[in-house]
Structures are given as structure tokens and as C-alpha cells.
Amino acid sequence: MSFEYLTISRVKKGLEEKQFSCQELTDYYLKRIDSFKELNSFITVTADTALAQAEKIDEKISRRSKLELLEGMPMAVKDIIMAKAVKTTAGSKILADYLAPYDAAVVSKLKERGAVILGKNNCDEFAMGSSNETSAFGPVKNPWDKQRVSGGSSGGSAAAVAADLCVAALGTDTGGSIRQPAAFCGLVGLKPTYGRVSRYGLMSMTSSLDQAGPIAKCVEDAAILLNVIAGPDENDFTSSTYEAEDYLSDLNSDIKGRTIGVPKEYFTSGMDAEVEKSIKEAIKKFEELGAVVKEVSLPHTVYSLAVYYIIMPAEVSSNLARYDGVRYGFKSQLAKNLFEVYAKSRSEGLGAEVKRRIMMGAYVLSAGYQDAYYKQAKKVQKLIQQEYQKIFSQVEVLLTPTAPTAAFKIGDKFDDPLTMYLSDIYTVSANIAGLCGLSVPGGFSKEGLPIGLQLLGAPFEEKKILQFAYNYQEATDWHLKHPNF
Ligand code: GLN
């Protein structure tokens, strides 16, 4: 029996029908992780605990034939999400040897449902990046073309799923870090509404924007994983008490007569012609499926990226103050006094992009500039939120590209932060406006690189975007193509 590209429901069926054991399956993935090390998609592989967990699951299966949804499911987790007693680096040298003291809420939930955690995925340092090139552990290679980036910051998670080194993975998304790598790797990536999923145990980058979510091979798997991780958590007071839904039921609900908005402002000059072609074809496909597609206008959305690059660094500068050489992780050996412990540990332990953002953040929060930058950005954020709220009273979902281009070459944008930041132009507004969003495979470039489509929904309307995405997925076969690497 071939284990290749199994989805969650396929694994469940296989285990329940005893077509294979959980140990065989886990072994298959661990061997693949080892064979495709050059992708650099894992920072830590937890082979021993994964195999021990698999043995337990097999023992359970021998006693009863029905399994919980994730029982025995080999999964991976972005290395900014804590897993107890496992190294959790956030892709940074400053936490290179840090053992997490507890499980993040999302990790506990995976474990409670019986998932087998294979290891921790490489990511941009503290989730700051769009290409996984800021990781202190080196860039991740895209399985569709190893010269190219896998996207960021959850690039390791996306590459691992695309290369079939695990069934699915969890990432985090502050400005696009689940959706953009999912698009670059030909996968489904779902960013839930802020508050839908607990942030307890995520190392904070931008506390007011960060959300964890699934990166998966198909829409059904993303829905299953959201079912597992969604819901309130007393350890995170920003998690919402708004009731979570069953995201899997009615996934195939008809979209006939339902409305999709296409914001005209998203068709900017930076959009690649092939991406534009894919989105136009997707519009046609949705119309064939009976959806009503209309052009809408979101005039303030063009400011989302500017607002993001004020609010995000402001919070980064505060959140990362804790990495001081005293409380956590790396401590400089060159320090001769307390000030130098702070200064040298941070200077040696943190990478260039992280430092750039800490400096920007300290600047926009500084006494003379706080009103001009930070407060102004918060006001514009409100306007953007109101604008989306109004649009979602006219259409059910919005359809846009996920990123302006397909995966770019490793090194191409690394020395040009502004161009790099533009990779998130279509994704950041979902975070700024508190929406949910997902990326679904939507075509390929001439060079054979995946192109992603983004569906955005009003706060807490994950079910809707999943339904639209599922209908589109079932009418296309982009998600069935796999990289040849
Ligand atoms: N690429 C964006 C950034 O660099 C988004 C990161 C994220 O979503 N974590 O900030």
C-alpha cells in the first residue's frame, strides 16, 4: 500500500481498517524527513516520542476499531509554537537551545486528539519574513523548485506538507504567514479570525494580530484541524467566547446564487500577469458554479501594508524586549557588565530583520513620534475595519490572489526589505481588519509553480470561506498535483 500524499480522512480510514499500522506510517514519514533533509523544513525531529506515541495508538486500535479524528495522525508544528520539553527556537539563535516549559493550547489540543507530532518546522525568525530566509537555521527550499523560497514565515510547515513529510501542519499568521507559504507550495492554508484559536503558548510576534492555523493538502483537512483547535481558552483572554462551529459539516453546501466580491484595488501594478490570469479564470469557475461575482471597492485597503508596518514593529519591539540574555536563551560570553549582557546578547542572538523591526517599533512608539505614527496607524486600522464590515454586508466572501507572484528565487529579495514586504500586500489586511482568510490552490505558472487564491470572510465566518473554497477545489484539480523533487 502506498502512503503517498495521504489526507487526514484517508489516514483515519487506513488505520481503522488496519491497512497499515500507526508505527508503519510514522516510520514512513520519519524516513522521508530524513531523506529530504536538504529541504531544511524541520528544525527538530521528535522521532522517539513520535514512535512511542504511534505504538500506543496501535495498541488502542487493536482494542477498538473506531478512532478519534486525529488519532495516529502524523503532524508537524511551526517552531514558534511551544511543545513541552521540546526545543522551541522561533527560528532564532537567541532561543537555539530553549526547551519549552509547557504545551501551547493548539499543541495540547492536537495531543488530546491523539495526533503524533513528528517535529518542529523551520520558520522565519520570530515569524518575521515572507521567505523563510530570516531563520537562523537557514532558508527552506520549496519542493516545487529547490532554488526557490517556500514562503514565510511558516515556510517549513508548508514545505513539509508539500513534500509529504507529514499529513498536515500548524503555522501562524500575523500578516500572511500561513496563506502565502501555502500558496507558494500548492496547499490550503487557513488563517482563522483573531480570537478564534487560542494564542496561549505561541511566542508572540504581534499579539494583536497573531493567529495559529492549519496548512493542509485539501480544504477538508483544514476544516478538520480548525474543528480541533478552535474555541475559547481561559489561558488566553483574547480568545473569543463566540461559539466555534462544526467547520466540516456542510462543507459541500451549494454556492449557487451566493455572492463573491472582487476588490478592484487588489489589481495593482505589482501583480504578476500569470497570477492575474489565474484569478480571472477562478472568477469564471465560480460563476460556472453559480456564484454571483461582483466588483467591489475598498479604497482604504491600500493603506493596510503601511499600517501593518507600524503596528507590527511597535508590538515586536515590546514583545521581544524579554529576550535579554537574562531571562531566556542565549547569553553573550563577551559581556562584562549587566548592560553588556543585554546589549551583546541581543546583538549576537538576534538577526538583522528582527533588529530592523525592533528599531522601527521603538521609533514609532517614541515620545515625539507616537502620535504621528502609532496612533495614526491605529486610526487608519479602524477605518479599514469599518470598510470591510460594510463590504461584508454586500457580499459573503472576497476573492483575491494570495500573493502578487509565485515563489521567487532564494536570495532574490533578501537584500531588499521593501520589495520583500510587498509579498504580503494581499494578505495583511485580513489581520489588520480581524478577518478570516484562506489560500487555496488556484493554478500554476508556466514554470510549474503553484499559484494561490485567497478567500476572505467576515470575522468568525470561517465556515463560509471553507465552503466556497471546497466548491472551487472540487471543480478543479490543482490540489491533486504534487511536486517532483
Ligand atoms: N511576512 C510578514 C512579515 O514579515 C508576515 C509575517 C507573519 O505573518 N508572521 O511580517
mmCIF file of all heavy atoms in Angstrom, residues 220-249:
data_model
loop_
_atom_site.group_PDB
_atom_site.id
_atom_site.type_symbol
_atom_site.label_atom_id
_atom_site.label_comp_id
_atom_site.label_asym_id
_atom_site.label_seq_id
_atom_site.Cartn_x
_atom_site.Cartn_y
_atom_site.Cartn_z
ATOM 1 N N GLU A 220 -10.862 19.959 3.198
ATOM 2 C CA GLU A 220 -11.452 19.146 4.275
ATOM 3 C C GLU A 220 -10.493 19.052 5.456
ATOM 4 O O GLU A 220 -10.907 19.165 6.617
ATOM 5 C CB GLU A 220 -11.726 17.693 3.821
ATOM 6 C CG GLU A 220 -12.555 17.526 2.583
ATOM 7 C CD GLU A 220 -11.699 17.561 1.323
ATOM 8 O OE1 GLU A 220 -11.152 18.625 1.003
ATOM 9 O OE2 GLU A 220 -11.587 16.523 0.647
ATOM 10 N N ASP A 221 -9.213 18.829 5.169
ATOM 11 C CA ASP A 221 -8.241 18.698 6.261
ATOM 12 C C ASP A 221 -8.125 19.995 7.059
ATOM 13 O O ASP A 221 -7.996 19.969 8.285
ATOM 14 C CB ASP A 221 -6.854 18.310 5.700
ATOM 15 C CG ASP A 221 -6.780 16.834 5.332
ATOM 16 O OD1 ASP A 221 -7.825 16.152 5.412
ATOM 17 O OD2 ASP A 221 -5.688 16.363 4.968
ATOM 18 N N ALA A 222 -8.182 21.113 6.347
ATOM 19 C CA ALA A 222 -8.107 22.404 7.059
ATOM 20 C C ALA A 222 -9.323 22.554 7.969
ATOM 21 O O ALA A 222 -9.210 23.022 9.110
ATOM 22 C CB ALA A 222 -8.033 23.555 6.051
ATOM 23 N N ALA A 223 -10.492 22.128 7.487
ATOM 24 C CA ALA A 223 -11.720 22.229 8.296
ATOM 25 C C ALA A 223 -11.630 21.315 9.518
ATOM 26 O O ALA A 223 -11.981 21.709 10.633
ATOM 27 C CB ALA A 223 -12.932 21.862 7.441
ATOM 28 N N ILE A 224 -11.125 20.111 9.316
ATOM 29 C CA ILE A 224 -10.994 19.168 10.443
ATOM 30 C C ILE A 224 -10.073 19.763 11.502
ATOM 31 O O ILE A 224 -10.363 19.753 12.699
ATOM 32 C CB ILE A 224 -10.425 17.812 9.954
ATOM 33 C CG1 ILE A 224 -11.457 17.090 9.090
ATOM 34 C CG2 ILE A 224 -9.975 16.940 11.124
ATOM 35 C CD1 ILE A 224 -10.948 15.835 8.391
ATOM 36 N N LEU A 225 -8.952 20.320 11.055
ATOM 37 C CA LEU A 225 -7.991 20.858 12.017
ATOM 38 C C LEU A 225 -8.539 22.089 12.724
ATOM 39 O O LEU A 225 -8.290 22.290 13.914
ATOM 40 C CB LEU A 225 -6.655 21.161 11.334
ATOM 41 C CG LEU A 225 -5.888 19.887 10.956
ATOM 42 C CD1 LEU A 225 -4.719 20.210 10.049
ATOM 43 C CD2 LEU A 225 -5.401 19.161 12.203
ATOM 44 N N LEU A 226 -9.319 22.885 12.007
ATOM 45 C CA LEU A 226 -9.914 24.039 12.680
ATOM 46 C C LEU A 226 -10.908 23.550 13.737
ATOM 47 O O LEU A 226 -10.982 24.109 14.838
ATOM 48 C CB LEU A 226 -10.592 24.976 11.675
ATOM 49 C CG LEU A 226 -11.124 26.273 12.301
ATOM 50 C CD1 LEU A 226 -9.997 27.087 12.946
ATOM 51 C CD2 LEU A 226 -11.875 27.130 11.293
ATOM 52 N N ASN A 227 -11.642 22.488 13.425
ATOM 53 C CA ASN A 227 -12.549 21.916 14.431
ATOM 54 C C ASN A 227 -11.798 21.564 15.710
ATOM 55 O O ASN A 227 -12.310 21.731 16.805
ATOM 56 C CB ASN A 227 -13.204 20.628 13.896
ATOM 57 C CG ASN A 227 -14.470 20.925 13.109
ATOM 58 O OD1 ASN A 227 -14.921 22.054 13.069
ATOM 59 N ND2 ASN A 227 -15.027 19.905 12.492
ATOM 60 N N VAL A 228 -10.586 21.081 15.543
ATOM 61 C CA VAL A 228 -9.810 20.656 16.717
ATOM 62 C C VAL A 228 -9.256 21.862 17.488
ATOM 63 O O VAL A 228 -9.308 21.895 18.713
ATOM 64 C CB VAL A 228 -8.654 19.711 16.279
ATOM 65 C CG1 VAL A 228 -7.705 19.437 17.429
ATOM 66 C CG2 VAL A 228 -9.218 18.413 15.720
ATOM 67 N N ILE A 229 -8.764 22.868 16.788
ATOM 68 C CA ILE A 229 -8.036 23.927 17.505
ATOM 69 C C ILE A 229 -8.895 25.140 17.882
ATOM 70 O O ILE A 229 -8.486 25.948 18.710
ATOM 71 C CB ILE A 229 -6.777 24.411 16.734
ATOM 72 C CG1 ILE A 229 -7.144 24.999 15.372
ATOM 73 C CG2 ILE A 229 -5.764 23.279 16.601
ATOM 74 C CD1 ILE A 229 -5.951 25.587 14.620
ATOM 75 N N ALA A 230 -10.091 25.278 17.287
ATOM 76 C CA ALA A 230 -10.895 26.481 17.553
ATOM 77 C C ALA A 230 -11.520 26.434 18.934
ATOM 78 O O ALA A 230 -11.720 25.363 19.495
ATOM 79 C CB ALA A 230 -11.992 26.602 16.501
ATOM 80 N N GLY A 231 -11.812 27.606 19.470
ATOM 81 C CA GLY A 231 -12.561 27.659 20.724
ATOM 82 C C GLY A 231 -11.893 28.520 21.771
ATOM 83 O O GLY A 231 -10.711 28.854 21.657
ATOM 84 N N PRO A 232 -12.653 28.888 22.776
ATOM 85 C CA PRO A 232 -12.122 29.758 23.824
ATOM 86 C C PRO A 232 -11.107 29.046 24.705
ATOM 87 O O PRO A 232 -11.057 27.815 24.722
ATOM 88 C CB PRO A 232 -13.370 30.129 24.639
ATOM 89 C CG PRO A 232 -14.353 29.048 24.373
ATOM 90 C CD PRO A 232 -14.054 28.517 23.010
ATOM 91 N N ASP A 233 -10.315 29.833 25.408
ATOM 92 C CA ASP A 233 -9.291 29.257 26.275
ATOM 93 C C ASP A 233 -9.084 30.211 27.450
ATOM 94 O O ASP A 233 -8.782 31.390 27.244
ATOM 95 C CB ASP A 233 -7.984 29.110 25.469
ATOM 96 C CG ASP A 233 -6.832 28.597 26.317
ATOM 97 O OD1 ASP A 233 -7.074 28.171 27.469
ATOM 98 O OD2 ASP A 233 -5.689 28.634 25.829
ATOM 99 N N GLU A 234 -9.236 29.694 28.650
ATOM 100 C CA GLU A 234 -9.107 30.591 29.807
ATOM 101 C C GLU A 234 -7.683 31.113 29.980
ATOM 102 O O GLU A 234 -7.451 32.088 30.694
ATOM 103 C CB GLU A 234 -9.601 29.907 31.082
ATOM 104 C CG GLU A 234 -8.851 28.645 31.391
ATOM 105 C CD GLU A 234 -9.382 27.933 32.636
ATOM 106 O OE1 GLU A 234 -10.542 28.179 33.008
ATOM 107 O OE2 GLU A 234 -8.610 27.142 33.208
ATOM 108 N N ASN A 235 -6.722 30.487 29.317
ATOM 109 C CA ASN A 235 -5.348 30.983 29.405
ATOM 110 C C ASN A 235 -5.060 32.114 28.418
ATOM 111 O O ASN A 235 -3.955 32.639 28.380
ATOM 112 C CB ASN A 235 -4.361 29.847 29.125
ATOM 113 C CG ASN A 235 -4.323 28.865 30.267
ATOM 114 O OD1 ASN A 235 -4.335 29.262 31.424
ATOM 115 N ND2 ASN A 235 -4.311 27.577 29.948
ATOM 116 N N ASP A 236 -6.015 32.407 27.541
ATOM 117 C CA ASP A 236 -5.811 33.496 26.581
ATOM 118 C C ASP A 236 -7.067 34.363 26.584
ATOM 119 O O ASP A 236 -8.085 33.990 25.985
ATOM 120 C CB ASP A 236 -5.548 32.933 25.175
ATOM 121 C CG ASP A 236 -5.534 34.019 24.106
ATOM 122 O OD1 ASP A 236 -5.553 35.219 24.462
ATOM 123 O OD2 ASP A 236 -5.503 33.676 22.906
ATOM 124 N N PHE A 237 -6.968 35.511 27.233
ATOM 125 C CA PHE A 237 -8.157 36.354 27.352
ATOM 126 C C PHE A 237 -8.515 37.045 26.046
ATOM 127 O O PHE A 237 -9.551 37.684 25.955
ATOM 128 C CB PHE A 237 -8.001 37.358 28.499
ATOM 129 C CG PHE A 237 -8.071 36.675 29.831
ATOM 130 C CD1 PHE A 237 -7.027 36.749 30.731
ATOM 131 C CD2 PHE A 237 -9.180 35.913 30.155
ATOM 132 C CE1 PHE A 237 -7.092 36.084 31.948
ATOM 133 C CE2 PHE A 237 -9.257 35.246 31.371
ATOM 134 C CZ PHE A 237 -8.207 35.331 32.265
ATOM 135 N N THR A 238 -7.681 36.929 25.039
ATOM 136 C CA THR A 238 -8.083 37.465 23.733
ATOM 137 C C THR A 238 -8.741 36.383 22.884
ATOM 138 O O THR A 238 -9.152 36.641 21.767
ATOM 139 C CB THR A 238 -6.892 38.074 22.962
ATOM 140 O OG1 THR A 238 -5.930 37.049 22.714
ATOM 141 C CG2 THR A 238 -6.241 39.211 23.728
ATOM 142 N N SER A 239 -8.816 35.157 23.410
ATOM 143 C CA SER A 239 -9.532 34.136 22.633
ATOM 144 C C SER A 239 -11.020 34.419 22.801
ATOM 145 O O SER A 239 -11.466 34.885 23.849
ATOM 146 C CB SER A 239 -9.171 32.729 23.100
ATOM 147 O OG SER A 239 -9.695 32.476 24.386
ATOM 148 N N SER A 240 -11.766 34.165 21.735
ATOM 149 C CA SER A 240 -13.165 34.590 21.736
ATOM 150 C C SER A 240 -14.084 33.532 22.335
ATOM 151 O O SER A 240 -13.869 32.333 22.146
ATOM 152 C CB SER A 240 -13.587 34.859 20.295
ATOM 153 O OG SER A 240 -14.947 35.145 20.256
ATOM 154 N N THR A 241 -15.129 34.006 23.006
ATOM 155 C CA THR A 241 -16.118 33.074 23.549
ATOM 156 C C THR A 241 -17.227 32.836 22.524
ATOM 157 O O THR A 241 -18.132 32.053 22.749
ATOM 158 C CB THR A 241 -16.754 33.633 24.846
ATOM 159 O OG1 THR A 241 -17.186 34.963 24.572
ATOM 160 C CG2 THR A 241 -15.760 33.644 25.984
ATOM 161 N N TYR A 242 -17.139 33.523 21.409
ATOM 162 C CA TYR A 242 -18.074 33.318 20.301
ATOM 163 C C TYR A 242 -17.990 31.846 19.894
ATOM 164 O O TYR A 242 -16.905 31.332 19.631
ATOM 165 C CB TYR A 242 -17.621 34.227 19.156
ATOM 166 C CG TYR A 242 -18.620 34.407 18.062
ATOM 167 C CD1 TYR A 242 -19.626 35.354 18.170
ATOM 168 C CD2 TYR A 242 -18.551 33.642 16.909
ATOM 169 C CE1 TYR A 242 -20.547 35.518 17.152
ATOM 170 C CE2 TYR A 242 -19.460 33.811 15.889
ATOM 171 C CZ TYR A 242 -20.454 34.740 16.019
ATOM 172 O OH TYR A 242 -21.369 34.904 15.008
ATOM 173 N N GLU A 243 -19.131 31.207 19.841
ATOM 174 C CA GLU A 243 -19.093 29.747 19.697
ATOM 175 C C GLU A 243 -18.461 29.261 18.382
ATOM 176 O O GLU A 243 -18.779 29.777 17.304
ATOM 177 C CB GLU A 243 -20.512 29.199 19.817
ATOM 178 C CG GLU A 243 -20.462 27.739 20.190
ATOM 179 C CD GLU A 243 -21.770 27.254 20.771
ATOM 180 O OE1 GLU A 243 -22.539 28.088 21.297
ATOM 181 O OE2 GLU A 243 -22.005 26.052 20.679
ATOM 182 N N ALA A 244 -17.583 28.275 18.500
ATOM 183 C CA ALA A 244 -16.985 27.691 17.296
ATOM 184 C C ALA A 244 -18.035 26.808 16.627
ATOM 185 O O ALA A 244 -18.932 26.291 17.283
ATOM 186 C CB ALA A 244 -15.761 26.877 17.672
ATOM 187 N N GLU A 245 -17.896 26.649 15.308
ATOM 188 C CA GLU A 245 -18.882 25.841 14.580
ATOM 189 C C GLU A 245 -18.273 24.495 14.202
ATOM 190 O O GLU A 245 -17.086 24.277 14.389
ATOM 191 C CB GLU A 245 -19.272 26.580 13.298
ATOM 192 C CG GLU A 245 -20.002 27.870 13.564
ATOM 193 C CD GLU A 245 -20.278 28.631 12.275
ATOM 194 O OE1 GLU A 245 -21.235 28.306 11.576
ATOM 195 O OE2 GLU A 245 -19.502 29.563 11.979
ATOM 196 N N ASP A 246 -19.110 23.636 13.627
ATOM 197 C CA ASP A 246 -18.559 22.423 13.029
ATOM 198 C C ASP A 246 -18.206 22.796 11.592
ATOM 199 O O ASP A 246 -19.080 22.941 10.737
ATOM 200 C CB ASP A 246 -19.599 21.299 13.068
ATOM 201 C CG ASP A 246 -19.051 20.042 12.400
ATOM 202 O OD1 ASP A 246 -17.936 20.101 11.852
ATOM 203 O OD2 ASP A 246 -19.745 19.008 12.431
ATOM 204 N N TYR A 247 -16.914 22.976 11.354
ATOM 205 C CA TYR A 247 -16.475 23.512 10.062
ATOM 206 C C TYR A 247 -16.510 22.464 8.952
ATOM 207 O O TYR A 247 -16.438 22.789 7.784
ATOM 208 C CB TYR A 247 -15.068 24.127 10.196
ATOM 209 C CG TYR A 247 -15.073 25.232 11.217
ATOM 210 C CD1 TYR A 247 -14.650 25.007 12.528
ATOM 211 C CD2 TYR A 247 -15.564 26.488 10.900
ATOM 212 C CE1 TYR A 247 -14.711 26.008 13.484
ATOM 213 C CE2 TYR A 247 -15.631 27.501 11.852
ATOM 214 C CZ TYR A 247 -15.201 27.256 13.130
ATOM 215 O OH TYR A 247 -15.279 28.254 14.073
ATOM 216 N N LEU A 248 -16.628 21.207 9.361
ATOM 217 C CA LEU A 248 -16.602 20.133 8.371
ATOM 218 C C LEU A 248 -17.990 19.852 7.799
ATOM 219 O O LEU A 248 -18.122 19.530 6.616
ATOM 220 C CB LEU A 248 -16.029 18.869 9.035
ATOM 221 C CG LEU A 248 -15.643 17.730 8.121
ATOM 222 C CD1 LEU A 248 -14.603 18.168 7.114
ATOM 223 C CD2 LEU A 248 -15.109 16.559 8.945
ATOM 224 N N SER A 249 -19.005 20.006 8.657
ATOM 225 C CA SER A 249 -20.350 19.690 8.163
ATOM 226 C C SER A 249 -20.740 20.745 7.129
ATOM 227 O O SER A 249 -20.329 21.903 7.232
ATOM 228 C CB SER A 249 -21.347 19.682 9.321
ATOM 229 O OG SER A 249 -21.487 20.982 9.815
#
